Amino acid sequence: MDALLERLRAGLPAEALITDPDITASYAHDMASFCDAGTPAVVVLPRTVEEVQHVMRTATALRVPVVPQGARTGLSGAANASDGCIVLSLVKMDRILEISPVDRIAVVEPGVVNATLSRAVNEHGLYYPPDPSSWEMCTIGGNIGTASGGLCCVKYGVTAEYVLGLEVVLADGRLLNTGRRTAKGVAGYDLTRLFVGSEGSLGIVVRAVLALRPMPPRQLVLAAEFPSAAAACDAVCRIMERGHTPSLLELMDRTTVRAVNAMASMGLPESTEALLLCAFDTPDPTADLTAVGELCKASGATEVVPADDVAESELLLQARRTALPALETVKSATMIDDVCVPRSRLGAMIEGTAAIAEKFGLTIGVCAHAGDGNTHPVVCFDHTDADESRRARESFDEIMALGLELGGTITGEHGVGVLKKEWLARELGEVGLELQRGIKAAFDPLGLLNPGKLF
């Protein structure tokens, strides 16, 4: 420990090091349940690339594991500390270095908060689409690490589609540049995409070149009530089959709607079994919403209400963004799943989740990026009740198994971390797992970067 601190101090300002155990303990984990976390030896908050390189050179010399962190809003344990590690928190590297309206790119450090970047590029008439529900807190580095998504991905895609290039500090302290600043580029293997979603296991992202889009018109939202989740999912299939391109297509089940109302008094219709929100940011969103409204009625919607204006639309979107925090108030703890299935199997996924909730005697609310088939079943349980905690964990596993049975994936945007290691192996298969481990060994032969995550 003394040797580690001595070496770190040789290349870092005093304020970049935290050794007080009461403070370092607060950096031990992210927001996931049922994920073990160790005790870090030290927390480092660098401000420069050179400081990150110094940390990695020190870690390599002394064979000390390093756990990279952003805002710790993750839901898979990917940012959890291991015993004796260096926690490398990148939140102080929070500068927007460049915004280019001509090239339609932004160059940012990893600690930039998603919402901060979004507002900054808006001032230039530009738009950064990836918008996780935690966008007011989560960082771009964390978004890249977990390949996060958000509400608008049905039209605009996920984080991976906006990362053009990266600067990455490797395990031994070398600086790697990947990708490009240009609109096109196919030189060599796509190492940039390899780092997106790698959860800090291959290198430390210290700079990112991000693609931007022109600012679209303000979107208008339609809310449709359904007598069943199956009917709402049928509407989703009809909307996509007819070629519509909504900027948002979100679903909340009855449990979620009631939780949102209880927490935020949103006035959502509690009589509904499923509430579907559909938005368009086209030049004539009213016409698009009218067409979608008819499809919803054909699927059995009992009420279809288009928002009158942008303000009412924003209120509905706020209700959706409130869904996960609201479900966290139902019981003392939650496990938030992240299973993505083909859109055509969305109804089966939600109905199967309801059956699992009944089987285990638990409250499981479901909100979903329905246009992507990305469901977020939220298992609500009393963490002080050992039996209920056991049932929560078992139900979580059954939900993931159901997703794989329906041709889906164990995670659409939250990542694997600690929580889903076992399930990643099942999804990848023996050959896939062997190759991924080989990639890890090529970038991090000593196994120092975020050990114990992914596999």
Side-chain angles (χ1 to χ4, degrees):
M1 178 68 170
D2 290 342
L4 172 62
L5 293 178
E6 182 179 351
R7 288 212 187 195
L8 288 174
R9 288 186 180 119
L12 296 170
E15 64 271 16
L17 287 169
I18 300 175
T19 57
D20 183 333
D22 290 334
I23 300 176
T24 59
S26 68
Y27 286 83
H29 57 83
D30 62 16
M31 297 177 69
S33 300
F34 291 106
C35 292
D36 293 335
T39 302
V42 60
V43 174
V44 180
L45 293 98
R47 290 183 180 273
T48 68
V49 173
E50 292 74 21
E51 289 174 5
V52 175
Q53 289 181 283
H54 173 69
V55 171
M56 293 313 305
R57 289 179 186 130
T58 299
T60 295
L62 298 179
R63 304 299 195 263
V64 178
V66 176
V67 176
Q69 288 184 350
R72 304 194 309 281
T73 58
L75 294 164
S76 68
N80 284 13
S82 53
D83 285 332
C85 76
I86 299 170
V87 164
L88 187 59
S89 174
L90 299 158
V91 294
K92 298 293 186 182
M93 296 180 69
D94 60 355
R95 294 180 299 162
I96 298 174
L97 302 171
E98 179 185 352
I99 297 173
S100 172
V102 173
D103 294 326
R104 292 183 182 171
I105 61 169
V107 182
V108 305
E109 292 183 327
V112 172
V113 171
N114 185 293
T116 300
L117 174 63
S118 295
R119 293 177 182 127
V121 302
N122 288 168
E123 294 178 5
H124 296 266
L126 297 169
Y127 177 45
Y128 181 68
D131 61 340
S133 293
S134 59
W135 77 310
E136 293 282 5
M137 300 177 288
C138 64
T139 62
I140 296 298
N143 294 169
I144 292 171
T146 57
S148 60
L151 304 188
C152 296
C153 295
V154 61
K155 179 175 182 178
Y156 292 104
V158 295
T159 295
E161 294 167 69
Y162 293 87
V163 182
L164 298 178
L166 296 170
E167 284 188 14
V168 182
V169 175
L170 299 176
D172 60 7
R174 289 179 296 164
L175 187 63
L176 170 68
N177 283 280
T178 77
R180 63 194 197 277
R181 292 172 55 100
T182 54
K184 295 190 293 185
V186 293
Y189 295 129
D190 191 349
L191 296 182
T192 303
R193 277 291 186 108
L194 191 58
F195 282 102
V196 179
S198 67
E199 301 183 19
S201 65
L202 302 179
I204 313 296
V205 172
V206 291
R207 191 165 296 176
V209 181
L210 304 175
L212 304 175
R213 288 175 173 259
M215 174 77 84
R218 297 294 295 272
Q219 62 186 358
L220 287 181
V221 179
L222 170 148
E225 300 176 43
F226 290 88
S228 68
C233 293
D234 180 70
V236 170
C237 292
R238 289 175 187 249
I239 291 166
M240 303 308 292
E241 183 181 28
R242 296 294 177 87
H244 293 286
T245 310
S247 55
L248 173 147
L249 190 56
E250 297 287 309
L251 183 147
M252 294 188 286
D253 72 354
R254 180 183 182 182
T255 299
T256 305
V257 168
R258 291 188 171 190
V260 169
N261 279 343
M263 187 182 85
S265 301
M266 286 284 188
L268 298 177
E270 294 197 357
S271 59
T272 185
E273 291 296 321
L275 184 68
L276 190 67
L277 302 179
C278 182
F280 285 90
D281 57 7
T282 52
D284 186 10
T286 301
D288 291 310
L289 291 179
T290 298
V292 164
E294 291 303 315
L295 293 177
C296 288
K297 291 175 183 176
S299 294
T302 55
E303 192 76 29
V304 175
V305 182
D308 291 329
D309 52 33
V310 169
E312 188 175 350
S313 295
E314 287 301 318
L315 186 63
L316 288 170
L317 295 185
Q318 183 56 36
R320 171 59 184 88
R321 290 189 185 277
T322 304
L324 294 182
L327 286 166
E328 290 172 353
T329 68
V330 173
K331 286 289 187 82
S332 64
T334 57
M335 289 190 75
I336 303 174
D337 217 323
D338 171 38
V339 177
C340 191
V341 297
R343 294 185 193 102
S344 58
R345 308 308 303 277
L346 182 61
M349 182 68 208
I350 294 177
E351 287 184 339
T353 299
I356 291 169
E358 183 175 356
K359 172 182 175 180
F360 287 96
L362 294 167
T363 298
I364 303 179
V366 179
C367 51
H369 308 309
D372 298 330
N374 193 174
T375 67
H376 294 309
V378 181
V379 183
C380 306
F381 65 99
D382 180 355
H383 74 283
T384 65
D385 184 325
D387 181 67
E388 193 163 309
S389 297
R390 174 190 58 78
R391 285 183 280 125
R393 181 67 212 222
E394 291 178 3
S395 71
F396 184 89
D397 286 341
E398 288 210 10
I399 290 168
M400 282 192 286
L402 173 63
L404 291 180
E405 289 168 11
L406 294 173
T409 175
I410 60 168
T411 176
E413 56 188 8
H414 290 173
V416 175
V418 177
L419 190 61
K420 298 187 176 184
K421 287 171 57 174
E422 172 192 347
W423 289 94
L424 178 65
R426 297 190 195 188
E427 180 170 334
L428 293 178
E430 185 177 341
V431 175
L433 192 61
E434 179 184 344
L435 289 173
Q436 296 221 8
R437 284 175 170 159
I439 292 169
K440 165 71 171 172
F443 280 89
D444 181 22
L446 298 177
L448 299 180
L449 283 168
N450 217 5
K453 312 298 166 51
L454 291 172
F455 36 72

